[in-house]
Amino acid sequence: MTLKKLPPLLTGIKDGKAQWQRIENLDVARIGHFLSCHLIIEHYMEKFICAYSPAPFNWEAAGLSFNQKLNLITDLKQFPEPYNVPPVLKHLNTVRNKLSHRVDFELSDEHLLPIKTFLKKVNSSESNAPLSNFEGTLDTFTMVVCAYFASAITYCEEQKASNNNGNWVL
């Protein structure tokens, strides 16, 4: 665990005196790990959108936010239960937004509860060993989601390549 101390936050002025809040025990390794997983998932989600669209839109140049990309895929039939990942990605993004806008936000195991629930639904084995810690849960979720997107991307591209007239249906 990498803990860092930062300058205190000025929380206000009371009776002419500055009020301070110390930020202690900031786990930058955990935050970095979480943000990296979020970025990797966003990368795959963007590639999925590019592959899924039959039109050659320049989705990457559009500069859509994570939430906008998520809104594009939320109602697709490619996410039936128990693989309905968009609501879990929405939760992931909500936590990411809290991390991005609150320097004193503490990322805890409880923030991964919807992710654990999703993984338990899609996992047919009885072993939940990777879900026993924060990093293992996050890594497993990232791998599952990215593998799902990668398989869908591959399928879309195969459909495009096998159809000479460019009209393909998923």
Side-chain angles (χ1 to χ4, degrees), residues 47-78:
K47 297 298 183 191
F48 172 81
I49 291 167
C50 291
Y52 191 81
S53 175
F57 297 127
N58 191 347
W59 290 106
E60 293 174 15
L64 300 175
S65 70
F66 187 96
N67 196 50
Q68 290 168 323
K69 293 171 193 171
L70 187 55
N71 285 336
L72 287 173
I73 69 167
T74 294
D75 294 331
L76 296 178
K77 64 183 178 183
Q78 280 72 16

Side-chain angles (χ1 to χ4, degrees), residues 5-148:
K5 290 191 178 211
L6 295 174
L9 296 176
L10 177 62
T11 60
I13 306 293
K14 185 175 180 181
D15 298 326
K17 294 185 181 183
Q19 304 294 305
W20 302 99
Q21 175 190 351
R22 289 213 175 274
I23 301 170
E24 298 187 23
N25 301 326
L26 186 65
D27 190 343
V28 296
R30 178 174 274 203
I31 293 168
H33 189 168
F34 184 91
L35 294 175
S36 295
C37 290
H38 184 278
L39 281 170
I40 291 166
I41 290 170
E42 183 172 15
H43 166 82
Y44 275 87
M45 186 167 47
E46 187 169 285
K47 297 298 183 191
F48 172 81
I49 291 167
C50 291
Y52 191 81
S53 175
F57 297 127
N58 191 347
W59 290 106
E60 293 174 15
L64 300 175
S65 70
F66 187 96
N67 196 50
Q68 290 168 323
K69 293 171 193 171
L70 187 55
N71 285 336
L72 287 173
I73 69 167
T74 294
D75 294 331
L76 296 178
K77 64 183 178 183
Q78 280 72 16
F79 304 106
E81 285 298 334
Y83 306 102
N84 188 12
V85 74
V88 188
L89 293 178
K90 184 171 182 62
H91 172 77
L92 181 82
N93 197 50
T94 297
V95 174
R96 198 241 15 131
N97 287 340
K98 290 177 182 176
L99 277 171
S100 298
H101 299 285
R102 286 189 37 211
V103 72
D104 62 340
F105 183 78
E106 291 185 34
L107 193 54
S108 69
D109 292 345
E110 288 78 38
H111 292 110
L112 298 186
L113 289 178
I115 291 170
K116 283 184 177 185
T117 300
F118 172 81
L119 290 172
K120 287 177 182 176
K121 283 194 307 186
V122 300
N123 185 6
S124 60
S125 78
E126 294 299 317
S127 172
N128 287 318
L131 307 183
S132 63
N133 65 56
F134 186 91
E135 289 77 15
T137 300
L138 201 50
D139 289 347
T140 301
F141 178 71
T142 302
M143 292 295 259
V144 166
V145 171
C146 292
Y148 190 80

